[in-house]
Amino acid sequence: VIGASGQIGGWLMRHLAERGHDVVGTYATVAQPGLERLNAGDPEAANWVRQRGADVVFYPAGFTWVDGCERDPAKARAANCLEPLTLARATLASGGRFVTFSTDYVFDGARGPYGEGDAVGPLNEYGRAKLEAERLLTEELGDRVLIVRTCWVYGPEWQGKNFAYQVVRALREGKILRVPSDQWANPSYGPDVAEATIRLVERGESGLVHVAGPEHVDRVGFGRGVARALGFDESLVVGVPTAELGQGAPRPLRGGLRSEKLEGLLPGMMRGLAAGMADFVEQVRRGRARDPIGC
Ligand SMILES: NC(=O)c1ccc[n+]([C@@H]2O[C@H](COP(=O)([O-])OP(=O)(O)OC[C@H]3O[C@@H](n4cnc5c(N)ncnc54)[C@H](OP(=O)(O)O)[C@@H]3O)[C@@H](O)[C@H]2O)c1
């Protein structure tokens, strides 16, 4: 698992081990016990992958800061397209399959939620790099690659970066949290995204699969759902139009993903927001993630 110190990567590690797979994970900058250091941009990285000879290489890595990608398109393309392509070639050369993660930001956000067959049209550098990666990986790896598109991933994680933690950090201090009122997508519970991905791999699936939560909501609904689940004052989550927020990269407004293909393959994998948040609290209580709420 390249990027095992991240949100999805951490849950891939846990679920793979629990399902009896032999697993090795890497970090780039945030060291964690048991993980090896690997920078995908390092010239030695392809050798490292070849030497491991893994059956499957999961790649939940990349430059995931959307506004940062807009400021540095060359870095966005290197980290989100060229580096995974290099490591996918190394995986193929050693007989393995490659699994990578993409985004609803490959769409223009005029008419989401989107299915796998809908026309793409990214609005920002992050989405363009991800789309180019999808195309090149599909061209070169064919049925040896699985591309999981997901969106608005939240849940317990050691680095505590995702939106649910942002909500908690603001609201527990009684601060107002301003979020875009006109951006829509599906909150997707991280542990479920990871488990669904592993089950797809175990079934031998390849190609493009959308793996997202069942509810299509705006950011205010998402933030208030998180607040409600944790007993915070949900009126502190306040909606502001995207145009007034000054975000660095243009955002697809009506984004989000339809996961009917996943539902056909693996029914009932993705929990809704209330059930996801209930599990979040449970995972924190069991010491399986950073505690954002002092529970
Ligand atoms: N989160 C979402 O809502 C969302 C939505 C759609 C798609 N995705 C995609 O899903 C994937 C996983 O997302 P996430 O939220 O789990 O990301 P994340 O928490 O930001 O984790 C990213 C991981 O990539 C590692 N990494 C960064 N630069 C690297 C490099 N040069 N070489 C090797 N590893 C590197 C990070 O390591 P360190 O932390 O140790 O530096 C970390 O382990 C990403 O490809 C993302 O684009 C995420």
Side-chain angles (χ1 to χ4, degrees), residues 1-10 12 26-32 35 37-42 45 59-66 75 78-80 83 87 100-105 126 130 148-154 157 159 161-163 186 188 193 219 222 257:
V1 178
I2 296 172
S5 51
Q7 180 180 198
I8 295 177
L12 285 170
T26 74
Y27 71 94
T29 58
V30 183
Q32 283 175 28
L35 301 185
R37 185 165 184 284
L38 181 83
N39 183 337
D42 189 320
Y59 197 89
F63 186 26
T64 57
W65 178 32
V66 175
K75 181 177 172 188
N80 293 328
E83 289 167 12
L87 299 194
T100 191
F101 293 84
S102 190
T103 165
D104 64 330
Y105 280 22
Y126 172 75
K130 286 287 194 183
V148 168
R149 282 192 192 137
T150 188
C151 55
W152 284 7
V153 182
Y154 72 98
E157 60 159 324
Q159 292 197 39
K161 290 191 302 191
N162 69 65
F163 181 65
N186 310 66
S188 305
V193 174
R219 267 282 173 190
F222 186 9
L257 300 169

Side-chain angles (χ1 to χ4, degrees), residues 25-247:
T26 74
Y27 71 94
T29 58
V30 183
Q32 283 175 28
L35 301 185
E36 298 184 29
R37 185 165 184 284
L38 181 83
N39 183 337
D42 189 320
E44 280 305 300
N47 271 340
W48 186 92
V49 168
R50 266 191 295 272
Q51 280 161 11
R52 288 296 169 290
D55 298 323
V56 183
V57 172
F58 292 85
Y59 197 89
F63 186 26
T64 57
W65 178 32
V66 175
D67 295 330
C69 287
E70 207 65 14
R71 283 217 281 271
D72 193 343
K75 181 177 172 188
R77 183 165 183 259
N80 293 328
C81 176
L82 304 179
E83 289 167 12
L85 184 64
T86 300
L87 299 194
R89 287 176 180 147
T91 304
L92 195 64
S94 53
R97 293 152 68 201
F98 193 76
V99 181
T100 191
F101 293 84
S102 190
T103 165
D104 64 330
Y105 280 22
V106 298
F107 297 106
D108 65 7
R111 280 192 311 276
Y114 294 96
E116 287 86 351
D118 287 333
V120 290
L123 300 180
N124 56 40
E125 297 295 341
Y126 172 75
R128 277 190 279 277
K130 286 287 194 183
L131 180 61
E132 188 183 3
E134 288 185 4
R135 288 188 169 147
L136 294 175
L137 287 166
T138 305
E139 241 169 65
E140 289 202 25
L141 274 79
D143 66 1
R144 305 296 289 171
V145 66
L146 172 68
I147 298 167
V148 168
R149 282 192 192 137
T150 188
C151 55
W152 284 7
V153 182
Y154 72 98
E157 60 159 324
W158 285 110
Q159 292 197 39
K161 290 191 302 191
N162 69 65
F163 181 65
Y165 287 85
Q166 293 167 29
V167 171
V168 171
R169 275 195 277 272
L171 270 52
R172 75 175 161 202
E173 290 171 20
K175 289 187 186 150
I176 285 177
L177 182 69
R178 287 155 45 96
V179 299
S181 54
D182 48 0
Q183 292 180 26
W184 288 69
N186 310 66
S188 305
Y189 188 53
D192 292 352
V193 174
E195 189 176 348
T197 302
I198 293 166
R199 286 179 185 256
L200 289 168
V201 171
E202 287 172 345
R203 287 173 52 107
E205 299 296 336
S206 61
L208 186 60
V209 183
H210 288 183
V211 176
E215 295 141 338
H216 191 238
V217 299
D218 63 23
R219 267 282 173 190
V220 180
F222 186 9
R224 290 188 176 165
V226 171
R228 199 159 44 242
L230 300 176
F232 290 112
D233 176 1
E234 57 186 271
S235 68
L236 291 172
V237 179
V238 173
V240 180
T242 296
E244 288 175 26
L245 278 171
Q247 291 176 308

Side-chain angles (χ1 to χ4, degrees), residues 1 12-14 16-17 21-25 58:
V1 178
L12 285 170
M13 291 294 289
R14 184 153 347 235
L16 283 164
H21 298 288
D22 190 12
V23 57
V24 174
F58 292 85

